Amino acid sequence: MKMLVNVIFPIEPFNSMVRNGTSGDIINRVINDIKPESIYFSEQEGNRGAIMIVEVPDASAIPAIAEPWFLNFEAHCEFRIAMTPDDLMRANLSKLAEKWNDVHLV
């Protein structure tokens, strides 16, 4: 399944790593290990950040994705399942609606 991974890097230790020239090498090493389908870098919550799409076979793959960011950058990681339009169609929303048709919002 595809997972959206949001990574937020705190200002420190990242600033120190930029200053001593290690940030780029470590980021490349992490990316080469995780092998995301895609990755983009951006500002998030006033910090440096990254957004990745990764393919995960099951939940046991999450630590191998998160730990390099945690251990190297003290980063904050968020994980979200990502569905394609085909995935959403296979969910059969109309059948779910029928199943829960008797439940009404107050």
Side-chain angles (χ1 to χ4, degrees):
M1 82 182 98
K2 292 195 186 308
M3 190 165 280
L4 176 73
V5 182
N6 193 39
V7 183
I8 300 173
F9 304 101
I11 299 300
E12 283 299 335
F14 207 102
N15 276 358
S16 294
M17 297 170 88
V18 169
R19 286 185 182 104
N20 69 25
T22 60
S23 61
D25 290 338
I26 295 171
I27 287 174
N28 282 331
R29 188 172 159 203
V30 172
I31 291 170
N32 288 333
D33 187 62
I34 295 172
K35 296 177 179 46
E37 186 175 303
S38 60
I39 185 168
Y40 299 93
F41 294 90
S42 180
E43 174 278 333
Q44 293 187 46
E45 299 178 13
N47 295 286
R48 295 173 181 98
I51 301 166
M52 299 186 292
I53 301 291
V54 294
E55 184 69 35
V56 292
D58 58 58
S60 68
I62 292 173
I65 296 166
E67 290 301 328
W69 301 116
F70 293 156
L71 294 171
N72 289 294
F73 297 101
E74 298 179 21
H76 173 85
C77 296
E78 300 169 336
F79 296 85
R80 293 183 179 89
I81 299 300
M83 291 188 293
T84 64
D86 288 339
D87 294 331
L88 186 58
M89 296 306 291
R90 285 194 307 274
N92 201 347
L93 293 178
S94 59
K95 185 174 181 179
L96 290 169
E98 287 175 24
K99 178 180 180 179
W100 295 100
N101 192 37
D102 63 328
V103 177
H104 299 282
L105 297 177
V106 180

